[in-house]
Amino acid sequence: MCSKIYLLVLLISASTTLSLCEGLYSQLSRHARAASSPPVGQISAKKCEEYSKIVKNNECTQFNPDKPWDYEAKTGEFPHLALLNVKGDNKLFCAGSLISDKFVLTTAVCANGLNKKGNGTFWVRLGENSLQPTASEKPVVLNRYKVIKAYNHPGYGGDKRENDISLLELEKRVQFGELMRPACLNINKEIAEPVFVAGWGITDNIRKRDYTTLLKTVLEISKKNEKPLNLDPESPLFILTKPKSGNKDACTGDSGAPLMTNLKDLPCMFNIVGIVAYGSNCVVHQTASTRISNYIPWIESIVWPGEH
């Protein structure tokens, strides 16, 4: 009887020791993985520098924010700009930005709308400056990429427009060149103005909506909580902007377009600080853009999973 009790005690003791060891090993493994993971934003910064090397001798068309009257974008000026639509034709639905050879950044509203309108199939067009390319530009139309999956942020609900961000995975890899190359992602909450936006939907109180050339304009960051958006200007989720000059603003058709800054150290690269999300009355009221810096870990885990 004593020997049986002794044996039972030994078994219980061994089991307890094993459980403690497993728990300790699991905890140590988690700490080891955390320690081996790169700091937030390091992957994005590395990719930014990598993409900058695509441009040789800084030969590129650079945007000069000191010339706000220079309204039309030049061919190749914004090589990351993407046009999103259902058939891959010249009809605009939304805009987006190329951020790697397989992913385009846009809003979840755009992704959901395109997915519904196209019954699960929609396209990305890259390397174009006009919705109606001329004969000399027609070969560029071949740069159409089918979207095979849209990764909406898990926190996106659709009602409050929070976490309005989506990553579109392309069916084939993009071959980078003068007219097609990724932009960089802003990894800091702080933003160095001026900021500007480019898209096919930008408007002012003179031009009409059927303007088909890619346009650009300078905006200013708004520091006030204003109606009708009623958003905190210090929110980690949004960037609020208003027109700066000439009453030009992001408007209908610009959803998903990048809010950008220049990079002094990498003069041919653009730094995406936000994604145009929504507004109320173009030119009159504020526009809310999804703040990119808040979503860097999530973006990196999907776009560059092998780098972690």
Side-chain angles (χ1 to χ4, degrees), residues 173-191:
R173 296 188 182 278
V174 177
Q175 297 298 314
F176 301 150
E178 182 182 357
L179 299 179
M180 295 186 297
R181 67 175 184 274
C184 300
L185 300 175
N186 187 54
I187 60 177
N188 302 308
K189 185 181 178 183
E190 295 74 21
I191 298 173

Side-chain angles (χ1 to χ4, degrees), residues 131-159:
L131 298 180
Q132 296 178 348
T134 62
S136 61
E137 293 176 316
K138 281 186 177 179
V140 180
V141 178
L142 297 177
N143 292 317
R144 301 186 310 165
Y145 297 83
K146 185 178 180 180
V147 175
I148 58 173
K149 187 173 182 178
Y151 296 83
N152 288 351
H153 191 274
Y156 174 71
D159 295 332

